Amino acid sequence: AGSNPFQRIIRSYNSMGMPLTQLHERLQDGFTWQNYARETFTWDSAGNWLSYLAEQWQNNTWVNDTKQTFEYDSESNMVDWKRETWQTNYWKKMWHYNWHYNSTGINDTTIYQTGQDSLWINCELGINFYDANDFVDSVLVYAWTSNNWVVSRRVSYTHDLLGNYLTSLAQNWQNGSWMNYSLSIQTFDTVGRNLTSLFQLWQTNTWVNIFDY
């Protein structure tokens, strides 16, 4: 109560300054610090994040909570990210992202999967298209349906010379044609600071403002 802390965090780091452990303790009975949660991180020699483990202190022992693992290519681009949560006595698969990069190091495809029992099940495939300045021009998204990738939606972008997104138009593929869904419009000053933002939804054949600032 008052100005007295009821929680503290104790951290350890490797020689590169990356966190290795993060111990959360809570004050009990006003004077005794007891374990509450613990996070553990691992890194490779290039400083890439390899794994994350979260645990909870229960009945005087550490119990698994969540874990994440990451993989990279030879250029240190992240190519794989998995997240799992602990369910009594096994790890339940939650999500899995896989990224592919072309020969120039640009991300051209992304696959998103969700967990089902011990398997990763395809959910979405995104294919990125770029303009002459290597800015993302559009993203075409496929949904995994009946064991096939089926066109689902696309997002088209415009940029300024600094690469800031000026417009973002989302459309759904319906009955053989593209149907508007949402539109984001932003403005920036000459050094790239965001000045205004407007988000709209397509409703009854017209754009309706949802928020702006």
Side-chain angles (χ1 to χ4, degrees):
S3 60
N4 294 323
F6 69 92
Q7 178 171 298
R8 69 179 180 183
I9 301 174
I10 302 171
R11 300 181 177 93
S12 66
Y13 300 86
N14 64 15
S15 59
M16 294 186 290
M18 307 294 189
L20 294 176
T21 60
Q22 191 161 271
L23 175 64
H24 299 251
E25 296 180 322
R26 288 191 170 179
L27 197 61
Q28 301 293 323
D29 303 322
F31 58 89
T32 303
W33 289 104
Q34 293 189 3
N35 294 331
Y36 177 71
R38 181 172 66 181
E39 298 168 285
T40 305
F41 309 81
T42 64
W43 312 82
D44 65 17
S45 58
N48 296 314
W49 189 11
L50 295 180
S51 68
Y52 168 82
L53 174 65
E55 301 167 288
Q56 298 290 327
W57 184 253
Q58 297 178 3
N59 300 320
N60 293 320
T61 189
W62 289 112
V63 177
N64 292 327
D65 182 74
T66 305
K67 73 174 180 179
Q68 300 183 63
T69 57
F70 311 90
E71 296 179 18
Y72 303 83
D73 62 17
S74 59
E75 302 299 321
S76 288
N77 295 308
M78 186 181 292
V79 297
D80 201 87
W81 176 20
K82 299 182 182 75
R83 184 178 188 272
E84 300 171 83
T85 59
W86 185 251
Q87 304 291 314
T88 307
N89 59 0
Y90 73 99
W91 287 107
K92 180 181 179 181
K93 298 179 183 301
M94 299 301 293
W95 73 61
H96 176 208
Y97 287 92
N98 183 269
W99 295 273
H100 180 269
Y101 299 81
N102 65 18
S103 59
T104 62
I106 292 177
N107 171 224
D108 51 13
T109 61
T110 302
I111 292 179
Y112 168 64
Q113 299 175 314
T114 56
Q116 180 177 306
D117 299 325
S118 62
L119 302 175
W120 290 112
I121 305 300
N122 289 332
C123 185
E124 288 189 339
L125 166 66
I127 300 178
N128 298 332
F129 298 89
Y130 295 83
D131 61 20
N133 296 313
D134 286 340
F135 299 142
V136 176
D137 181 69
S138 63
V139 179
L140 184 60
V141 180
Y142 294 79
W144 186 251
T145 304
S146 300
N147 292 321
N148 286 292
W149 290 116
V150 177
V151 174
S152 173
R153 66 184 188 277
R154 71 178 178 186
V155 184
S156 304
Y157 303 94
T158 62
H159 310 79
D160 62 18
L161 295 177
L162 297 177
N164 297 307
Y165 290 115
L166 297 178
T167 63
S168 173
L169 172 64
Q171 298 172 301
N172 295 322
W173 182 253
Q174 294 179 0
N175 301 319
S177 61
W178 291 110
M179 304 296 292
N180 291 332
Y181 176 72
S182 68
L183 176 65
S184 297
I185 303 173
Q186 299 189 90
T187 62
F188 299 84
D189 64 17
T190 55
V191 295
R193 291 175 296 201
N194 184 222
L195 297 176
T196 64
S197 295
L198 172 65
F199 180 74
Q200 301 174 311
L201 289 177
W202 186 253
Q203 298 178 352
T204 319
N205 293 321
T206 189
W207 289 112
V208 177
N209 293 344
I210 301 302
F211 70 81
D212 65 274
Y213 59 89

